[in-house]
Amino acid sequence: PQEDRLLLFLGAVMVDFGRPIILIAREFLDYSLTQLISHFFHSAFHSIIGVMLLGGILAPLFENYSFKRAYGLLLVGGLSHLCLDMLMWPWAGGLPLLYPLQGTEYLFSFRILWPGDISITLIFGLPLSLIATGHFYYTLKKEKQKDKKTD
């Protein structure tokens, strides 16, 4: 259903919830404090435990879902974000997936995609966009047919 997709999307973007905090810190705090805040939010949120904790905090907010279902959808969205980030050639060396169990010296990245490389974006992004658009169109068409049958 539509609500499931919303939770998947929220799970995928919740990993970057620290970004606005980092931007505000850059504007109002000194460099060393900003670096500390940036390091913490990036490391904590871009880790498996971070995704699990964020999902656990957000899942109870969706009262029309059981905790288990909301948490599962948020978790899948968050983990998909981490998987896609691991494809990129990272500016920070990789993702601290096991933070805080292991320090930030253990970083993971497949180093396949360079952010800003248009050829890779076209090779991967265009087919994925077409598939997503086709799926959305198919789902919308299917729901309209279902609504016509119930009328």
Side-chain angles (χ1 to χ4, degrees), residues 7-16 44-55 70-87 95-99 110:
L7 280 173
L8 285 170
F9 177 75
L10 181 61
V13 298
M14 74 180 179
V15 177
D16 286 330
F45 287 8
H46 281 81
S47 69
I48 295 169
I49 292 175
V51 168
M52 292 169 66
L53 288 174
L54 286 169
Y71 183 72
L73 290 167
L74 291 166
L75 195 64
V76 169
L79 293 176
S80 68
H81 179 117
L82 296 182
C83 288
L84 290 172
D85 273 2
M86 284 192 325
L87 293 176
L95 295 179
L97 290 180
L98 301 176
Y99 182 85
F110 295 115

Side-chain angles (χ1 to χ4, degrees), residues 21-30 34-35 38 91:
I21 296 167
I22 293 167
L23 291 174
I24 291 167
R26 283 183 186 160
E27 195 65 36
F28 297 107
L29 301 175
D30 70 348
T34 299
Q35 288 300 104
S38 177
W91 58 268

Side-chain angles (χ1 to χ4, degrees), residues 32-133:
S32 59
L33 193 53
T34 299
Q35 288 300 104
L36 182 68
I37 290 170
S38 177
H39 176 76
F40 169 75
F41 278 106
H42 182 268
S43 299
F45 287 8
H46 281 81
S47 69
I48 295 169
I49 292 175
V51 168
M52 292 169 66
L53 288 174
L54 286 169
I57 291 168
L58 293 175
L61 301 176
F62 298 91
E63 296 171 352
N64 55 337
Y65 279 88
S66 69
F67 176 84
K68 187 177 177 181
R69 179 150 181 86
Y71 183 72
L73 290 167
L74 291 166
L75 195 64
V76 169
L79 293 176
S80 68
H81 179 117
L82 296 182
C83 288
L84 290 172
D85 273 2
M86 284 192 325
L87 293 176
M88 290 193 319
W89 190 274
W91 58 268
L95 295 179
L97 290 180
L98 301 176
Y99 182 85
L101 299 177
Q102 289 184 326
T104 56
E105 63 272 9
Y106 298 100
L107 302 174
F108 299 90
S109 175
F110 295 115
R111 300 173 190 255
I112 295 172
L113 305 175
W114 185 267
D117 184 359
I118 191 69
S119 62
I120 296 296
T121 303
L122 289 175
I123 291 169
F124 287 104
L126 188 60
L128 289 175
S129 297
L130 291 172
I131 290 168
T133 303

